[in-house]
């Protein structure tokens, strides 16, 4: 019986060691959609490079800046049957409708005018904004497995990172692994950590990415995206011009929000909803989030942090 | 010979197993101390600076400096200078210069799994 006890001790020591090996993680880095990607996996680590490649190749489909992309062809011809673009447009349509098109996917002329990705450091003139606004009043006509656009051009910058998280998570689901995918500030939580603990996601302060306004403790299957006025902007004569354009005014949106973080079961929706909520402000965001069973952390311009009720016990504000 | 419940051999085996397991766990344990600021360009590893030594390096228009155990961007050719906002010192701390495609991360095991921004 004592010998059995000794064997039990040896087995448990070895299992502890193996568990420690299992709970070490491997991270692969990449770059796409003008931002940094990373895939951190526990268990099998080879799928990490596959996810990086999948997301990098997705950019070749949905990026306006790649001349051979399906999106560029759509903008040139007015038609596409690309499954990714059709899926994105179909799912975003009701959100765009809710905002009365203050958020929508046909704002390429306005995005190009404001050129936030580039070197613009002086705001465009009123006439330039009016002209771009008129060129951004288009329509998407959705068919069964294709779509056409009229009157404008499509820009998927507001949803690309979230959608990339979906594609990455779908690929990972085929492997016996768990981990976290980040595309810029959009995050996919996949599976359960070997320790059984929840995933911890810091919600960054708009002033300093490494200062946290609080932490979300979440299970796998959740996707997180944030929209705010501090990620990309320029300042001119004391005013900040951020990168999220209001489709009604043609100017960077103004609301009572400095940033909003959305949590839901889809990367595409978390990204689209965070942009839409940032544009429409706190009060109008609530019914929209409820429709999608999504939760949010709002950082208001007065500095207050408010969350939807579903984040009670999930979001812990930094003291 | 009297039958002992635990023999010397049993004790030695248990100690040896524990020692081997400890050695393996130490070998694969993340190195929390001795952190580095790791610089990536377009997702590829470029170079790194240890936080233990004051130094400067410029990568694709982004100048990273280490002073007194903290790494921060002291100059950048990008228009918005968002990458210059933060001082990095904890594992997992990050700064991203999107226009120049440069990312800096402090290595080691972080207390966060991810940062949303």
């Amino acid at each position: 019986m004592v010998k059995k006890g000794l064997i039990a001790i040896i087995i448990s020591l070895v299992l502890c060691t193996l568990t420690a090996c299992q709970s070490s993680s491997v991270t692969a880095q990449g770059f796409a959609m003008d931002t940094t990607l990373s895939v951190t996996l526990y268990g099998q680590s080879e799928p990490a490079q596959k996810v990086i490649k999948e997301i990098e190749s997705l950019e070749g489909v949905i990026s306006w800046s790649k001349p051979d992309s399906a999106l560029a062809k759509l903008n040139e011809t007015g038609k596409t049957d690309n499954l990714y673009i059709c899926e994105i447009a179909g799912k975003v349509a009701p959100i765009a409708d809710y905002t009365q098109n203050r958020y929508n996917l046909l704002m390429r002329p306005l995005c190009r005018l404001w050129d936030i990705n580039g070197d613009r450091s002086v705001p465009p003139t009123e006439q330039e904004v009016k002209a771009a606004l008129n060129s951004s009043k288009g329509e998407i006509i959705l068919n069964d497995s294709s779509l056409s656009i009229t009157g404008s051009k499509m820009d998927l910058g507001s949803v690309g990172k979230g959608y990339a998280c979906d594609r990455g998570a779908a690929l990972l689901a085929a492997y016996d692994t768990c981990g976290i995918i980040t595309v810029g500030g959009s995050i996919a939580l996949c599976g359960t950590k070997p320790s059984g603990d929840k995933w911890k996601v810091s919600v960054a302060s708009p002033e300093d990415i490494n200062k946290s306004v609080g932490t979300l403790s979440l299970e796998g299957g959740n996707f997180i995206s944030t929209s705010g006025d501090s990620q990309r902007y320029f300042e001119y004569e004391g005013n900040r011009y951020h990168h999220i354009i209001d489709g009604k005014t043609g100017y960077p949106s103004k609301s009572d929000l400095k940033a909003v973080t959305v949590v839901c079961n889809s990367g595409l929706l978390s990204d689209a909803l965070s942009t839409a909520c940032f544009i429409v402000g706190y009060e109008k965001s609530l019914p929209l989030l409820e429709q999608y069973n999504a939760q949010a952390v709002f950082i208001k311009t007065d500095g207050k942090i408010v969350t939807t009720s579903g984040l009670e016990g999930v979001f812990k504000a930094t003291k | 010979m009297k039958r002992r419940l635990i023999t010397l051999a049993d004790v030695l085996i248990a100690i040896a197993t524990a020692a081997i397991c400890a050695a393996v766990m130490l070998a694969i344990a993340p190195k929390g101390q001795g952190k580095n600021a790791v610089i990536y360009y377009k997702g590829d590893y470029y170079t790194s600076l240890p936080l233990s030594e004051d130094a400067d390096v410029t990568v694709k228009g982004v100048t990273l400096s280490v002073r007194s155990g903290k790494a921060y961007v002291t100059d950048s050719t990008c228009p918005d200078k968002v990458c210059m906002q933060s001082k990095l010192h904890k594992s997992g701390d990050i700064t991203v210069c999107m226009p120049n495609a440069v990312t800096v991360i402090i290595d080691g095991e972080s207390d966060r799994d991810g940062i949303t921004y």
Side-chain angles (χ1 to χ4, degrees):
Chain A
M1 197 167 90
V2 173
K3 289 288 185 209
K4 280 185 190 162
L6 183 63
I7 290 168
I9 289 169
I10 291 173
I11 289 172
S12 41
L13 280 170
V14 172
L15 281 174
C16 284
T17 313
L18 287 172
T19 309
C21 294
Q22 184 80 348
S23 59
S24 67
S25 61
V26 172
T27 300
Q29 301 274 352
F31 193 83
M33 302 185 215
D34 276 336
T35 194
T36 198
L37 337 164
S38 73
V39 182
T40 300
L41 296 184
Y42 298 79
Q44 287 187 55
S45 54
E46 310 89 68
Q49 279 305 334
K50 291 204 163 93
V51 171
I52 299 283
K53 295 255 174 311
E54 167 84 5
I55 295 174
E56 286 172 348
S57 74
L58 178 67
E59 189 182 22
V61 175
I62 65 172
S63 171
W64 60 263
S65 65
K66 308 279 180 206
D68 293 330
S69 69
L71 184 72
K73 293 204 179 90
L74 165 63
N75 283 337
E76 203 186 322
T77 65
K79 290 187 175 80
T80 190
D81 56 5
N82 179 276
L83 290 175
Y84 296 163
I85 297 177
C86 292
E87 181 186 0
I88 292 170
K91 287 187 173 163
V92 171
I95 299 173
D97 285 344
Y98 178 88
T99 71
Q100 296 177 321
N101 272 351
R102 291 175 66 189
Y103 167 61
N104 71 81
L105 296 179
L106 290 187
M107 297 210 292
R108 182 70 211 125
L110 273 170
C111 295
R112 187 172 58 219
L113 175 70
W114 283 96
D115 188 30
I116 303 285
N117 290 3
D119 290 325
R120 183 174 272 285
S121 55
V122 173
T125 65
E126 215 178 294
Q127 286 86 345
E128 285 174 319
V129 173
K130 268 202 178 111
L133 197 53
N134 282 331
S135 303
S136 299
K137 288 189 186 324
E139 203 189 338
I140 302 174
I141 298 143
L142 293 162
N143 304 308
D144 274 338
S145 52
S146 68
L147 65 81
S148 55
I149 61 177
T150 58
S152 184
K153 296 195 190 299
M154 192 178 278
D155 187 309
L156 296 178
S158 62
V159 289
K161 298 184 187 67
Y163 191 64
C165 286
D166 283 331
R167 305 294 327 150
L171 202 156
L172 275 189
Y175 293 90
D176 176 26
T177 186
C178 59
I180 179 166
I181 301 170
T182 69
V183 183
S186 289
I187 296 176
L189 303 173
C190 308
T192 308
K193 278 169 97 165
S195 60
D197 294 333
K198 297 215 175 128
W199 301 99
K200 297 239 178 302
V201 174
S202 162
V203 177
S205 157
E207 274 76 51
D208 184 335
I209 192 176
N210 296 305
K211 287 207 164 73
S212 179
V213 301
T215 304
L216 292 159
S217 295
L218 293 163
E219 286 167 354
N222 277 300
F223 295 80
I224 305 112
S225 287
T226 298
S227 291
D229 68 2
S230 308
Q231 293 149 36
R232 292 205 205 191
Y233 60 86
F234 65 87
E235 282 183 333
Y236 180 75
E237 292 185 350
N239 292 317
R240 178 179 289 194
Y241 296 89
H242 64 76
H243 72 298
I244 298 175
I245 309 303
D246 185 329
K248 188 176 171 190
T249 65
Y251 284 88
S253 66
K254 280 193 169 96
S255 75
D256 57 352
L257 297 176
K258 196 136 178 65
V260 55
T261 297
V262 172
V263 182
C264 70
N265 63 4
S266 148
L268 167 63
L269 292 178
S270 72
D271 213 353
L273 287 169
S274 74
T275 313
C277 290
F278 180 73
I279 292 173
V280 300
Y282 174 68
E283 287 296 336
K284 291 205 168 99
S285 294
L286 300 178
L288 179 62
L289 292 166
E290 202 174 313
Q291 217 176 304
Y292 285 92
N293 201 21
Q295 306 296 328
V297 180
F298 299 93
I299 302 175
K300 292 185 153 191
T301 47
D302 63 7
K304 288 206 174 80
I305 312 235
V306 184
T307 66
T308 49
S309 57
L311 289 184
E312 231 173 272
V314 174
F315 178 75
K316 192 172 169 192
T318 304
K319 297 268 176 285
Chain B
M1 193 167 88
K2 247 193 198 168
R3 233 191 118 193
R4 286 172 186 265
L5 289 173
I6 300 169
T7 66
L8 183 60
D10 293 338
V11 173
L12 289 173
I13 290 170
I15 290 171
T17 309
I20 292 167
C21 291
V24 171
M25 283 166 92
L26 274 170
I28 53 110
K31 313 287 184 274
Q33 308 311 307
K35 290 176 243 178
N36 303 285
V38 186
I39 306 172
Y40 297 86
Y41 171 63
K42 292 203 170 173
D44 292 327
Y45 170 81
Y46 200 91
T47 188
S48 66
L49 292 179
L51 294 186
S52 52
E53 226 175 276
D54 286 3
D56 305 273
V57 69
T58 300
V59 175
K60 305 291 177 186
V62 179
T63 301
L64 184 77
S65 302
V66 175
R67 297 284 183 276
S68 309
K70 293 190 182 183
Y72 46 104
V73 175
T74 46
D75 194 21
S76 177
T77 56
C78 64
D80 54 38
K81 320 285 187 208
V82 168
C83 54
M84 292 175 68
Q85 278 174 357
S86 191
K87 290 196 172 170
L88 287 62
H89 62 102
K90 292 196 326 279
S91 292
D93 279 354
I94 185 170
T95 193
V96 182
C97 182
M98 281 190 245
N100 290 348
V102 171
T103 305
V104 184
I105 306 174
I106 307 297
D107 62 4
E109 193 169 292
S110 171
D111 57 356
R112 307 144 280 190
D113 295 303
I115 303 174
T116 187
Y117 58 91

